[in-house]
PDB file of all heavy atoms in Angstrom:
ATOM      1  N   LEU A 612      10.341  28.891 -27.118  1.00  0.00           N
ATOM      2  CA  LEU A 612      10.238  29.988 -27.976  1.00  0.00           C
ATOM      3  C   LEU A 612       9.917  29.550 -29.402  1.00  0.00           C
ATOM      4  O   LEU A 612       9.071  29.995 -30.180  1.00  0.00           O
ATOM      5  CB  LEU A 612      11.551  30.618 -28.077  1.00  0.00           C
ATOM      6  CG  LEU A 612      11.903  31.767 -29.103  1.00  0.00           C
ATOM      7  CD1 LEU A 612      10.932  32.848 -29.002  1.00  0.00           C
ATOM      8  CD2 LEU A 612      13.274  32.286 -29.016  1.00  0.00           C
ATOM      9  N   ALA A 613      10.496  28.297 -29.843  1.00  0.00           N
ATOM     10  CA  ALA A 613      10.229  27.765 -31.113  1.00  0.00           C
ATOM     11  C   ALA A 613       8.565  27.408 -31.203  1.00  0.00           C
ATOM     12  O   ALA A 613       7.972  27.780 -32.128  1.00  0.00           O
ATOM     13  CB  ALA A 613      10.999  26.473 -31.390  1.00  0.00           C
ATOM     14  N   GLY A 614       8.127  26.809 -30.120  1.00  0.00           N
ATOM     15  CA  GLY A 614       6.688  26.422 -30.114  1.00  0.00           C
ATOM     16  C   GLY A 614       5.724  27.515 -30.150  1.00  0.00           C
ATOM     17  O   GLY A 614       4.750  27.592 -30.926  1.00  0.00           O
ATOM     18  N   HIS A 615       6.081  28.635 -29.434  1.00  0.00           N
ATOM     19  CA  HIS A 615       5.097  29.792 -29.333  1.00  0.00           C
ATOM     20  C   HIS A 615       5.291  30.589 -30.695  1.00  0.00           C
ATOM     21  O   HIS A 615       4.249  31.249 -31.121  1.00  0.00           O
ATOM     22  CB  HIS A 615       5.367  30.542 -28.284  1.00  0.00           C
ATOM     23  CG  HIS A 615       4.837  29.945 -26.919  1.00  0.00           C
ATOM     24  ND1 HIS A 615       3.575  30.019 -26.581  1.00  0.00           N
ATOM     25  CD2 HIS A 615       5.486  29.320 -25.960  1.00  0.00           C
ATOM     26  CE1 HIS A 615       3.188  29.368 -25.434  1.00  0.00           C
ATOM     27  NE2 HIS A 615       4.421  28.881 -25.129  1.00  0.00           N
ATOM     28  N   THR A 616       6.564  30.528 -31.253  1.00  0.00           N
ATOM     29  CA  THR A 616       6.742  31.274 -32.522  1.00  0.00           C
ATOM     30  C   THR A 616       5.842  30.450 -33.687  1.00  0.00           C
ATOM     31  O   THR A 616       5.191  31.069 -34.460  1.00  0.00           O
ATOM     32  CB  THR A 616       8.222  31.329 -33.015  1.00  0.00           C
ATOM     33  OG1 THR A 616       8.849  32.086 -32.025  1.00  0.00           O
ATOM     34  CG2 THR A 616       8.363  32.002 -34.297  1.00  0.00           C
ATOM     35  N   GLN A 617       5.921  29.263 -33.526  1.00  0.00           N
ATOM     36  CA  GLN A 617       5.099  28.363 -34.559  1.00  0.00           C
ATOM     37  C   GLN A 617       3.584  28.479 -34.373  1.00  0.00           C
ATOM     38  O   GLN A 617       2.982  28.763 -35.388  1.00  0.00           O
ATOM     39  CB  GLN A 617       5.419  26.861 -34.332  1.00  0.00           C
ATOM     40  CG  GLN A 617       4.887  25.938 -35.249  1.00  0.00           C
ATOM     41  CD  GLN A 617       5.074  24.486 -35.099  1.00  0.00           C
ATOM     42  OE1 GLN A 617       4.736  24.014 -34.068  1.00  0.00           O
ATOM     43  NE2 GLN A 617       5.917  23.977 -35.982  1.00  0.00           N
ATOM     44  N   ASN A 618       3.154  28.735 -33.201  1.00  0.00           N
ATOM     45  CA  ASN A 618       1.747  29.022 -33.013  1.00  0.00           C
ATOM     46  C   ASN A 618       1.359  30.355 -33.602  1.00  0.00           C
ATOM     47  O   ASN A 618       0.247  30.379 -34.200  1.00  0.00           O
ATOM     48  CB  ASN A 618       1.337  29.030 -31.425  1.00  0.00           C
ATOM     49  CG  ASN A 618       1.452  27.672 -30.864  1.00  0.00           C
ATOM     50  OD1 ASN A 618       1.507  26.668 -31.516  1.00  0.00           O
ATOM     51  ND2 ASN A 618       1.423  27.607 -29.522  1.00  0.00           N
ATOM     52  N   LEU A 619       2.216  31.359 -33.389  1.00  0.00           N
ATOM     53  CA  LEU A 619       1.901  32.664 -33.907  1.00  0.00           C
ATOM     54  C   LEU A 619       1.918  32.688 -35.387  1.00  0.00           C
ATOM     55  O   LEU A 619       1.052  33.166 -36.155  1.00  0.00           O
ATOM     56  CB  LEU A 619       2.899  33.755 -33.502  1.00  0.00           C
ATOM     57  CG  LEU A 619       2.681  35.028 -33.748  1.00  0.00           C
ATOM     58  CD1 LEU A 619       3.258  35.941 -32.470  1.00  0.00           C
ATOM     59  CD2 LEU A 619       3.287  35.614 -35.087  1.00  0.00           C
ATOM     60  N   CYS A 620       2.779  31.830 -36.086  1.00  0.00           N
ATOM     61  CA  CYS A 620       3.006  31.664 -37.498  1.00  0.00           C
ATOM     62  C   CYS A 620       1.675  31.035 -38.064  1.00  0.00           C
ATOM     63  O   CYS A 620       1.212  31.339 -39.044  1.00  0.00           O
ATOM     64  CB  CYS A 620       4.415  30.970 -37.843  1.00  0.00           C
ATOM     65  SG  CYS A 620       5.712  31.966 -37.646  1.00  0.00           S
ATOM     66  N   HIS A 621       1.232  29.946 -37.422  1.00  0.00           N
ATOM     67  CA  HIS A 621       0.051  29.215 -37.806  1.00  0.00           C
ATOM     68  C   HIS A 621      -1.118  30.041 -37.865  1.00  0.00           C
ATOM     69  O   HIS A 621      -1.869  30.197 -38.888  1.00  0.00           O
ATOM     70  CB  HIS A 621      -0.114  27.966 -36.939  1.00  0.00           C
ATOM     71  CG  HIS A 621       0.510  26.736 -37.281  1.00  0.00           C
ATOM     72  ND1 HIS A 621       0.406  26.206 -38.651  1.00  0.00           N
ATOM     73  CD2 HIS A 621       1.352  25.938 -36.533  1.00  0.00           C
ATOM     74  CE1 HIS A 621       1.128  25.030 -38.646  1.00  0.00           C
ATOM     75  NE2 HIS A 621       1.746  24.836 -37.446  1.00  0.00           N
ATOM     76  N   ALA A 622      -1.342  30.838 -36.708  1.00  0.00           N
ATOM     77  CA  ALA A 622      -2.509  31.654 -36.639  1.00  0.00           C
ATOM     78  C   ALA A 622      -2.387  32.757 -37.795  1.00  0.00           C
ATOM     79  O   ALA A 622      -3.521  33.223 -38.177  1.00  0.00           O
ATOM     80  CB  ALA A 622      -2.530  32.265 -35.227  1.00  0.00           C
ATOM     81  N   SER A 623      -1.289  33.317 -38.060  1.00  0.00           N
ATOM     82  CA  SER A 623      -1.071  34.387 -38.995  1.00  0.00           C
ATOM     83  C   SER A 623      -0.899  33.914 -40.496  1.00  0.00           C
ATOM     84  O   SER A 623      -0.718  34.774 -41.412  1.00  0.00           O
ATOM     85  CB  SER A 623      -0.034  35.268 -38.567  1.00  0.00           C
ATOM     86  OG  SER A 623      -0.281  35.917 -37.265  1.00  0.00           O
ATOM     87  N   GLY A 624      -0.653  32.616 -40.665  1.00  0.00           N
ATOM     88  CA  GLY A 624      -0.460  32.191 -42.030  1.00  0.00           C
ATOM     89  C   GLY A 624       0.901  32.456 -42.562  1.00  0.00           C
ATOM     90  O   GLY A 624       1.058  32.633 -43.732  1.00  0.00           O
ATOM     91  N   LEU A 625       1.947  32.566 -41.708  1.00  0.00           N
ATOM     92  CA  LEU A 625       3.324  33.002 -41.990  1.00  0.00           C
ATOM     93  C   LEU A 625       4.351  31.975 -41.581  1.00  0.00           C
ATOM     94  O   LEU A 625       3.982  31.046 -40.788  1.00  0.00           O
ATOM     95  CB  LEU A 625       3.611  34.405 -41.572  1.00  0.00           C
ATOM     96  CG  LEU A 625       2.785  35.569 -42.214  1.00  0.00           C
ATOM     97  CD1 LEU A 625       3.019  36.775 -41.178  1.00  0.00           C
ATOM     98  CD2 LEU A 625       3.026  35.850 -43.684  1.00  0.00           C
TER      99      LEU A 625
END
Side-chain angles (χ1 to χ4, degrees):
L612 178 56
H615 285 283
T616 302
Q617 186 180 66
N618 289 346
L619 190 149
C620 289
H621 271 307
S623 297
L625 296 169

